[in-house]
Amino acid sequence: MKFKSFPTRKDDHIGRKLYHMLSGTIAAYLFLYILDRKQTLVLVALLSFLVFTLDVLRLKIHSLNRRIHKIMGGVMRREETKNLSAQTFYMLGLLWLAIGFSKPIAVHSLL
């Protein structure tokens, strides 16, 4: 499958860095000021499941993969066109933080 040119790990990729900074900041804000521990666990577990499922489906269904690349192509790396995206691992890491650590430790780890 041929895709447009995606950045690699060697490239600067400012858009990707901004995306990750924004998602971490939003997650920390929600965890600190909006959601209690139970709500956080439910939300992060649900989002982790959805992101993982969508990522696996994306790799198996060519048309879905192409559509996601059109939508998320600005923040994806070349390696992610044929493998699980970093977002899947990020969400699983958030789930691990929410389950295993207190709120202050989890928020500091996000930032």
Side-chain angles (χ1 to χ4, degrees), residues 54-61 65 80-84:
L54 185 61
D55 219 11
V56 169
L57 288 174
R58 171 185 71 83
L59 295 173
K60 296 201 178 286
I61 303 170
N65 202 8
E80 294 172 327
T81 60
K82 296 178 183 165
N83 297 306
L84 290 175

Side-chain angles (χ1 to χ4, degrees), residues 91-111:
M91 290 305 302
L92 293 172
L94 283 179
L95 182 60
W96 180 70
L97 285 173
I99 290 170
F101 297 95
S102 66
K103 193 179 276 195
I105 293 172
V107 170
H108 279 86
S109 298
L110 283 171
L111 303 174

Side-chain angles (χ1 to χ4, degrees), residues 13-14 21 24 33 37 45 47 60 72 77-78 93 106:
H13 211 171
I14 298 297
M21 284 175 33
Y33 301 112
R37 183 168 177 80
L47 289 175
K60 296 201 178 286
M72 299 297 293
R77 285 190 175 142
R78 183 178 305 143

